[in-house]
Amino acid sequence: MVGKVYLIGAGPGDPELLTLKAHRLLTTAEVVLYDRLVGQEIIDLIPETAEKMYVGKAKSMHSLPQDELNALIAAKAKENKIVVRLKGGDPFIFGRGGEELEELIQESVPFEVVPGVTAAAGCAAYAGIPLTHRDYAQSVRFLTGHLKDGTTDLPWEELVHPAQTLVIYMGLTGLEETSASLIKFGMSPTMPVAVVEKGTTKNQRVFTSTIGSVYELAVKNEVKSPALLIIGEVVSLQEKLEWYGKY
């Protein structure tokens, strides 16, 4: 017999951002495979009776290659178990969820996707930064700072656009190159930027700067991953909105 796989987005860290469905499935799972971006408080919700498997990845340090992980998820389901594949954020936004589902389809394993709060929405909200605002930005673009081949070769000309907010996942990767490239293609060196480290968690830190100075700021403050980069005029609202949001 074959069980079922639930591909669940755990959100950016705060356990209260889990959806009701995600919480229900997680607390009744028989096998849970989770990555390094899942917050400890969420991991603590996994039942003691469940088999917990850490399959986390850091840049250039994969505990389990993706193809082997895909096969492992399918194999666990084929043991007639309810399997939860728990991912930080949302599984379909830079989470490689599509690759894992392709394997399940190939192996005829039933599955269901439970979306989660993506890091861009969660971290921006907790930092007091509206990603869109009628006076500052009418569009928002999600990017990853770490491409499949390890480069940061992004479509720079398209990114330097007025009234647009950029959100770069894994933003510390190639931060110096990202900053220099955006300026080279026309972005003002004074464009506001925020770096959100460990967003939505108790250890969240938010630093604001400009695109011309953000690399030095990150180095000075020893910012560590996971960190999200938010670039755009909306960042100028951060100090006011975050302060008032605490009261």
Side-chain angles (χ1 to χ4, degrees), residues 169-217:
Y169 289 65
M170 295 170 279
L172 295 182
T173 301
L175 178 56
E176 187 174 22
E177 179 185 350
T178 296
S179 175
S181 296
L182 288 172
I183 293 172
K184 176 182 176 181
F185 281 87
M187 182 172 283
S188 169
T190 61
M191 176 66 74
V193 179
V195 181
V196 185
E197 177 191 79
K198 298 180 174 65
T200 80
T201 72
K202 296 175 181 177
N203 298 317
Q204 172 177 294
R205 293 198 299 167
V206 181
F207 301 97
T208 57
S209 182
T210 64
I211 194 64
S213 305
V214 66
Y215 176 71
E216 289 76 11
L217 177 140

Side-chain angles (χ1 to χ4, degrees), residues 18-106:
L18 281 172
T19 64
L20 291 173
K21 187 171 188 176
H23 183 273
R24 173 174 59 82
L25 293 170
L26 179 60
T27 54
T28 56
E30 296 176 288
V31 180
V32 180
L33 301 94
Y34 63 96
D35 63 38
R36 74 183 187 92
L37 296 178
V38 177
Q40 184 59 49
E41 291 180 276
I42 295 174
I43 294 171
D44 292 341
L45 296 173
I46 300 173
E48 292 185 4
T49 55
E51 180 182 4
K52 292 195 295 186
M53 306 183 72
Y54 173 71
V55 292
K57 297 179 177 66
K59 182 189 173 187
S60 304
M61 295 177 61
H62 291 204
S63 63
L64 193 67
Q66 187 66 45
D67 57 346
E68 293 183 26
L69 172 55
N70 299 345
L72 177 60
I73 297 169
K76 286 298 177 181
K78 288 185 175 182
E79 294 177 5
N80 192 31
K81 292 181 177 179
I82 299 301
V83 179
V84 164
R85 172 64 173 110
L86 193 62
K87 290 176 169 288
D90 180 90
F92 278 1
I93 300 182
F94 305 126
R96 304 189 72 171
E99 297 174 48
E100 295 173 2
L101 295 190
E102 287 180 304
E103 177 79 15
L104 298 180
I105 292 170
Q106 184 176 324

Side-chain angles (χ1 to χ4, degrees), residues 136 139 141 156-166 185 187 191:
Y136 298 99
S139 67
R141 189 160 181 172
W156 304 113
E157 288 187 86
E158 297 177 19
L159 304 183
V160 182
H161 190 281
Q164 175 177 252
T165 302
L166 303 178
F185 281 87
M187 182 172 283
M191 176 66 74

